[in-house]
């Protein structure tokens, strides 16, 4: 079965157990799924490919971890808000590596500073930045200030994400 057909089938059925089983039985399809994410195809292929990857990451993070560099690279070029949100969510479920980590930190900060990004992009960026603050405590003040400075005129969800960041980094 073509991976595009599988994505559309999963979109229609949303049978999590079945599609996770499919990818466990067909591990080569992970790479094809990730290639669809920035394939420049029309909706719904990239959106649902990235959404499926989030769910696969939750059930089989070690398999997705092997694509960490590719996923991070895609995050730098993707402009689709839904796909961007999903990729940040995937990264949040993976073990952070030192692969272009300073650039990734800068990109996540830019996402927070960009008012055109949807609130979910902001919140997931905060979650990943929380992990970086735990790894590099000296970043806590700077990142915390950026999050707070960019909270003006944001939604209640942004405020909740900011408070979660503050709570998780309080003792660092």
């Amino acid at each position: 079965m073509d991976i595009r057909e599988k994505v559309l089938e999963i979109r229609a059925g949303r049978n999590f157990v079945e599609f996770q089983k499919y990818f466990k039985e067909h591990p080569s399809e992970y790479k094809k799924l990730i290639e669809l994410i920035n394939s420049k195809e029309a909706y719904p292929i990239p959106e649902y490919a990235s959404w499926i990857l989030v769910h696969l990451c939750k059930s089989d993070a070690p398999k997705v971890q092997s694509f960490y560099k590719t996923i991070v690279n895609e995050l730098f070029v993707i402009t689709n808000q839904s796909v961007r949100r999903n990729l940040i969510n995937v990264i949040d479920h993976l073990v952070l590596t030192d692969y272009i980590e300073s650039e990734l930190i800068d990109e996540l900060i830019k996402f927070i500073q960009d008012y055109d990004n949807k609130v979910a992009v902001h919140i997931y960026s905060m979650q990943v930045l929380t992990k970086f603050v735990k790894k590099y405590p000296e970043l806590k003040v700077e990142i915390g200030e950026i999050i707070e400075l960019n909270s003006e005129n944001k939604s209640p969800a942004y405020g909740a994400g900011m408070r979660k960041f503050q709570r998780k980094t309080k003792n660092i």
Side-chain angles (χ1 to χ4, degrees), residues 63-84:
K63 182 62 181 167
V64 179
Q65 184 74 42
S66 65
F67 297 99
Y68 181 84
K69 289 180 180 181
T70 304
I71 293 164
V72 169
N73 288 339
E74 289 300 324
L75 185 60
F76 282 88
V77 296
I78 206 74
T79 58
N80 180 304
Q81 288 286 304
S82 296
V83 176
R84 181 179 286 169

Side-chain angles (χ1 to χ4, degrees), residues 1-54:
M1 176 181 281
D2 177 64
I3 189 68
R4 285 166 189 79
E5 292 173 25
K6 192 65 178 171
V7 167
L8 295 174
E9 177 187 313
I10 292 167
R11 175 185 181 227
R14 297 183 188 234
N15 184 334
F16 295 105
V17 174
E18 194 58 40
F19 84 72
Q20 290 169 351
K21 180 182 170 192
Y22 172 82
F23 281 95
K24 285 185 184 201
E25 292 172 356
H26 302 89
S28 66
E29 297 292 280
Y30 276 89
K31 184 175 191 239
K32 294 175 186 175
L33 181 71
I34 292 169
E35 288 171 354
L36 284 180
I37 290 171
N38 198 20
S39 63
K40 306 294 187 224
E41 291 196 36
Y43 174 87
I45 298 296
E47 290 84 349
Y48 277 90
S50 63
W51 176 79
I52 291 165
L53 188 62
V54 169

Side-chain angles (χ1 to χ4, degrees), residues 107-123:
E107 192 71 7
L108 294 168
I109 289 170
K110 287 178 193 173
F111 290 159
I112 291 170
Q113 293 173 320
D114 186 346
Y115 276 76
D116 290 333
N117 280 321
K118 296 195 183 258
V119 71
V121 171
H122 296 149
I123 292 169

Side-chain angles (χ1 to χ4, degrees), residues 118-120 122-123 150-161 163:
K118 296 195 183 258
V119 71
H122 296 149
I123 292 169
N150 287 280
S151 66
E152 193 171 320
N153 299 319
K154 295 277 179 87
S155 72
Y158 185 97
R163 287 187 299 280

